[in-house]
Amino acid sequence: MRFQGLSAFPITPADAQGRVDTAALARLLRRLVAAGVDSVGLLGSTGTYAYLDRAERRRTVEAAAAELRGAVPLLVSIGALRTDDAVRLGQDARAAGADAVLLAPVSYTPLTEDEVFAHVQAVAAGAGLPVVLYNNPSTTHFTFSPGLIARLSRVPGVAAVKNPAPDADAVAAELAALRAGAAPGFSIGHSGDWKATEALLAGSEAWYSVVGGLFPEPAMRILRAVRAGDAAEARRLHRSLQPLWDLFIAHSSLRVMYAAANLLGLTDAQPPRPILPLAGTAREQVAAVIGALALR
C-alpha cells in the first residue's frame, strides 16, 4: 500500500445494537471505487470504530475486503484502550483482508510519549501490517510531537502519519520539520477537510478525508487539480465546498455525513448513541447544502 492521494473514510452503517449493515456499507464503498480513490479508510473516527465490538469490527473488514476485491487498498483503524487488544484487532484486520492499519493512542489515563512509543512498537510488531500513526489530539487528548513521530518513523512497520492539518500559513513549516526528522520513505499526510487543500498544495502526501468517504468526486477533483499543479483551480474547488466545511465545523463532520447519507437514501442508519442525529434546522441545513452544491 502506498500512503498517498485520497484516503476516503466512510461512515459504518449499523443498527442500534451495533450490528453493521454490510449491504449499506457495500453501497458506500462502490461509490469510492467508482470515483478512483487511492485507498479506503475503514472504521476511522467517522466510521465509529470505538463504538463497535471486536466481532463487528472484523465482520466489517471482511465485508469491505470482499466488496473491494483488492481494487482499492484498505486501511483499517484498530485503536483500543489496551495494547493487547489493539494487537488482536490488527491481527483480525490482517486475517480479514486489510492492507494496513491506523493506530490512535486511545486512553482514559493521559499517556506519556514513552508509553505511546511502546504501544505503537508492540502493535507494529504484533499486527503484521504497516501502521499509520493517527494523530488525533481532539479525540485522544494526546499529541504526537515531531520528535516522537521521528522516533516512531524508524520503528519497523511504521509507515506513515495522519496529522491534523494546520492553518495554511503553518503547513509548509510543519511539513519541513517533520520531513527533516522522519526516516526516508515515511509518508506524511493530513486530515481536516477544510484545511486539507492547502496541506496538499504544500506537499502533503495523503489526504485522509471525511468528505471523500461519501462525496469522493469533488474530493478527487481537488486532488487532480493539485496533482496537475493548478493551485488556483484547487483553491477554487475548495472554496466551492465552503458551505459544507461550515456545516462540519458547526455540527461535526460525523453528524453531517450521517445526515447526508440518510438524505441521499444510502442508509437509514443513525450515529451510535449517545450521539444523536441531526434534526430540525440542522438537518434542513444539510439538505439545503447538498442541493445547492448538487452533491450526489
Side-chain angles (χ1 to χ4, degrees), residues 53-220:
D53 64 24
R54 180 182 174 184
E56 282 303 298
R57 291 205 209 182
R58 176 157 181 162
R59 197 171 73 87
T60 303
V61 182
E62 290 171 343
E67 178 64 35
L68 295 173
R69 299 179 184 179
V72 180
L74 185 59
L75 171 66
V76 175
S77 178
I78 59 168
L81 285 169
R82 292 177 57 91
T83 299
D84 52 358
D85 285 339
V87 170
R88 283 189 284 267
L89 288 165
Q91 292 167 344
D92 286 350
R94 180 184 182 187
D99 298 289
V101 294
L102 179 65
L103 181 61
V106 182
S107 185
Y108 184 84
T109 299
L111 298 174
T112 68
E113 288 206 348
D114 285 344
E115 288 166 341
V116 171
F117 182 90
H119 177 66
V120 173
Q121 189 176 47
V123 174
L129 286 173
V131 173
V132 178
L133 307 175
Y134 188 5
N135 190 8
N136 187 16
S138 64
T139 297
T140 64
H141 308 293
F142 178 86
T143 301
F144 284 83
S145 69
L148 179 59
I149 291 171
R151 288 174 63 201
L152 286 168
S153 73
R154 290 169 172 79
V155 171
V158 178
V161 64
K162 174 182 183 285
N163 259 347
D167 292 337
D169 59 358
V171 66
E174 180 198 87
L175 280 166
L178 289 172
R179 290 204 173 107
F186 183 78
S187 171
I188 301 168
H190 290 87
S191 59
D193 286 344
W194 52 93
K195 296 182 179 181
T197 298
E198 290 300 327
L200 290 169
L201 289 169
S204 178
E205 292 163 82
W207 177 12
Y208 298 95
S209 174
V210 173
V211 74
L214 186 61
F215 301 115
E217 291 288 354
M220 286 300 299

Side-chain angles (χ1 to χ4, degrees), residues 202-241:
S204 178
E205 292 163 82
W207 177 12
Y208 298 95
S209 174
V210 173
V211 74
L214 186 61
F215 301 115
E217 291 288 354
M220 286 300 299
R221 285 194 288 270
I222 291 172
L223 182 62
R224 285 193 290 268
V226 172
R227 285 173 166 168
D230 192 343
E233 176 64 2
R235 290 184 172 116
R236 185 193 70 79
L237 291 166
H238 175 87
R239 288 193 302 271
S240 74
L241 295 176

